């Protein structure tokens, strides 16, 4: 058993049962045995591959979105570009490289901030971005809110812990938790924690994302802000999700959510209805990643690169773009979502 899993099992034996949200928080973010804090998780060697790790085309297109947004903000000399949960720093590296090329004037007084809670990922980001002048912070509240700000985040909202609720009949729900039984973890019910939902679904899921979004919105209350989130999820009819979306990925395979605590990635599908409710009116999307990236010009960029490659390179590019765009891969389930405040930005790619 992975040493993180042993530690988590022992922790739950001593302190459990834990709510589903506390279990996710522990498995992902515990300073000594959390998955994001201790393991090398992203990319082809790790447990899962994200869009920026798959191909630089993703970051190039996100850069065009950033530059277009910056222009719509009136080309401010001083502005902040922040990324949430930057992983290996690949997206920001691609964005800065392309910004310098296509809009060098945007870069002269731009402050770049990376918001990251994981010390091990921060180290990797510092290596990837060693040549850049960047500020690292652990909390969105530490990002300077003096200047117009553009925020990007890929697979950031889907890493937030969720609460799960189990139907007892008549819309009455009891919170679902995780307990240790010998050397195994099982789901259990936390009888003392109850809620009511207008639903008959067996499991209802609510997310802690809304609390984070409220803080985010408040921190930039007086700042022209445009933010782009790309996460996997849907926009159901209700701000709660009527199913269990908790998913564990270990060595590129879906595994039981409780089987490799601290050694597997745990994610949930973002409920964009709840996200919109937390943020208010000026939201765009969610829009399927494939449509969004096509709107930003992916086919044109792909054709440019294609022309310069040999056969093997073309095949590799095609495979990567297929994963990014195909409706049964990342193209449909992943969604682009934008929120703006205190400005008139009509974000590119959302078809408005
Ligand atoms: N954006 C990267 C990585 C996605 S994984 C990519 O696309 O490759 C999720 C990232 O969010 C990790 O870097 C994780 O450490 C970070 N993270 C999760 N919750 C966070 C929080 N509350 N504040 C800052 N970073 C967070």
């Amino acid at each position: 058993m992975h040493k993180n899993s042993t530690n988590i099992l022992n922790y739950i034996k001593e302190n459990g049962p834990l709510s589903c949200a506390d279990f996710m928080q522990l498995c992902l973010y515990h300073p000594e045995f959390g998955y994001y804090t201790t393991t090398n998780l992203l990319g082809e060697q790790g447990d899962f591959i994200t869009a920026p790790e798959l191909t630089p085309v993703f970051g190039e297109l996100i850069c065009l979105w950033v530059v277009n947004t910056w222009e719509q903000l009136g080309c401010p000399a001083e502005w902040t570009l922040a990324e949430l949960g930057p992983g290996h720093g690949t997206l920001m590296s691609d964005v800065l490289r392309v910004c310098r090329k296509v809009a060098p004037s945007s870069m002269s007084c731009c402050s770049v901030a990376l918001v990251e809670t994981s010390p091990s990922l921060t180290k990797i980001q510092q290596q990837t971005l060693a040549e850049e002048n960047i500020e690292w912070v652990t909390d969105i509240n530490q990002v300077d809110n003096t200047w117009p700000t553009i925020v990007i985040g890929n697979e950031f909202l889907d890493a937030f812990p969720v609460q799960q609720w189990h139907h007892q009949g008549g819309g009455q729900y009891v919170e679902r938790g995780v307990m240790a039984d010998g050397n195994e973890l099982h789901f259990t019910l936390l009888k003392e924690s109850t809620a009511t939902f207008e639903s008959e679904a067996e499991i209802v899921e609510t997310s802690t994302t809304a609390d984070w979004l409220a803080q985010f919105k408040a921190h930039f209350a007086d700042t022209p802000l445009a933010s782009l989130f790309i996460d996997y999820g849907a926009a159901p009819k209700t701000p709660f999700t009527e199913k269990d979306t908790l998913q564990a990925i270990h060595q590129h395979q879906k595994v039981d959510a409780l089987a490799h605590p601290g050694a597997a990635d745990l994610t949930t599908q973002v409920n964009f209805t709840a996200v919109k409710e937390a943020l208010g009116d000026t939201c765009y999307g969610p829009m399927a990643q494939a449509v969004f990236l096509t709107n930003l010009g992916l086919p044109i960029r792909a054709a440019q690169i294609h022309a310069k490659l040999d056969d093997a390179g073309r095949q590799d590019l095609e495979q990567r773009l297929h994963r990014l765009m195909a409706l049964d891969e990342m193209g449909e389930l992943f969604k682009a979502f934008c929120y703006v405040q205190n400005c008139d930005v009509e974000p590119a790619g959302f078809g408005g």
Side-chain angles (χ1 to χ4, degrees):
M1 200 190 276
H2 191 287
K3 72 176 182 343
N4 285 353
S5 303
T6 312
N7 283 326
I8 288 173
L9 187 68
N10 289 337
Y11 181 94
I12 297 178
K13 276 185 191 166
E14 279 166 37
N15 303 286
L18 302 182
S19 70
C20 199
D22 288 346
F23 172 73
M24 282 185 78
Q25 184 71 29
L26 177 70
C27 291
L28 296 177
Y29 304 112
H30 187 280
E32 284 151 46
F33 39 84
Y35 179 74
Y36 286 132
T37 31
T38 62
T39 54
N40 185 4
L41 54 143
L42 302 163
E44 263 139 318
Q45 311 305 322
D47 285 327
F48 63 106
I49 189 154
T50 59
E53 301 292 327
L54 197 54
T55 167
V57 174
F58 181 79
E60 291 169 3
L61 295 171
I62 299 303
C63 180
L64 297 185
W65 186 91
V66 169
V67 168
N68 178 273
T69 304
W70 175 77
E71 285 170 352
Q72 291 193 54
L73 284 167
C75 304
E78 308 220 50
W79 63 292
T80 300
L81 173 61
E83 185 182 352
L84 307 164
H88 285 184
T90 311
L91 176 59
M92 187 54 88
S93 165
D94 289 335
V95 166
L96 294 177
R97 175 175 53 80
V98 180
C99 268
R100 283 203 185 90
K101 221 173 188 176
V102 302
S105 61
S106 70
M107 288 286 96
S108 54
C109 284
C110 171
S111 313
V112 181
L114 296 187
V115 187
E116 177 59 68
T117 41
S118 157
S120 59
L121 287 176
T122 301
K123 272 199 201 124
I124 297 176
Q125 293 154 20
Q126 284 167 343
Q127 286 161 6
T128 312
L129 295 156
E131 311 289 309
E132 304 287 352
N133 183 9
I134 287 180
E135 186 187 14
W136 269 268
V137 296
T138 54
D139 194 307
I140 188 72
N141 288 315
Q142 297 160 332
V143 174
D144 186 356
N145 55 9
T146 322
W147 312 109
T149 300
I150 299 179
V151 176
I152 54 177
N154 186 59
E155 293 210 48
F156 173 74
L157 297 177
D158 63 23
F160 277 83
V162 295
Q163 289 107 5
Q164 291 191 336
W165 306 87
H166 197 274
H167 196 203
Q168 306 296 298
Q172 297 298 313
Y173 283 78
V174 169
E175 189 164 9
R176 209 176 183 210
V178 176
M179 60 172 277
D181 179 7
N183 279 340
E184 283 184 11
L185 295 176
H186 292 291
F187 284 111
T188 184
L189 293 180
L190 308 174
K191 292 257 157 37
E192 63 287 358
S193 175
T194 59
T196 309
F197 297 100
E198 279 186 32
S199 175
E200 291 294 319
E202 188 183 347
I203 301 277
V204 158
E205 213 171 70
T206 54
S207 173
T208 57
T209 315
D211 304 331
W212 185 89
L213 290 168
Q215 272 189 44
F216 170 67
K217 191 174 157 151
H219 179 63
F220 294 104
D222 301 317
T223 311
L225 168 78
S227 53
L228 176 67
F229 298 92
I230 299 176
D231 282 287
Y232 78 128
K237 288 199 193 78
T238 55
F240 50 85
T241 304
E242 292 183 297
K243 62 179 179 188
D244 168 9
T245 76
L246 180 62
Q247 174 180 294
I249 302 280
H250 182 59
Q251 294 167 351
H252 295 273
Q253 301 291 325
K254 265 192 200 178
V255 293
D256 184 287
L258 306 184
H260 300 276
D265 186 36
L266 293 178
T267 57
T268 57
Q269 290 188 23
V270 172
N271 178 323
F272 285 105
T273 305
V275 170
K276 278 185 176 173
E277 203 162 79
L279 288 172
D281 291 339
T282 41
C283 294
Y284 298 79
M287 172 179 270
Q289 170 166 291
V291 180
F292 178 66
L293 295 179
T294 301
N295 289 349
L296 292 182
L298 185 131
I300 299 166
R301 182 65 188 134
Q304 282 172 350
I305 304 175
H306 214 259
K308 294 186 198 151
L309 295 172
D310 60 14
D311 282 351
R314 285 181 183 167
Q315 211 177 357
D316 182 62
L317 177 71
E318 272 161 24
Q319 272 169 5
R320 287 169 188 275
L321 294 182
H322 179 81
R323 281 188 73 180
L324 197 63
M325 302 292 279
L327 301 186
D328 57 352
E329 296 263 2
M330 299 167 87
E332 169 99 70
L333 191 55
F334 279 73
K335 303 285 195 309
F337 180 86
C338 171
Y339 171 69
V340 301
Q341 75 182 18
N342 303 319
C343 59
D344 297 325
V345 168
E346 290 276 343
F350 288 89

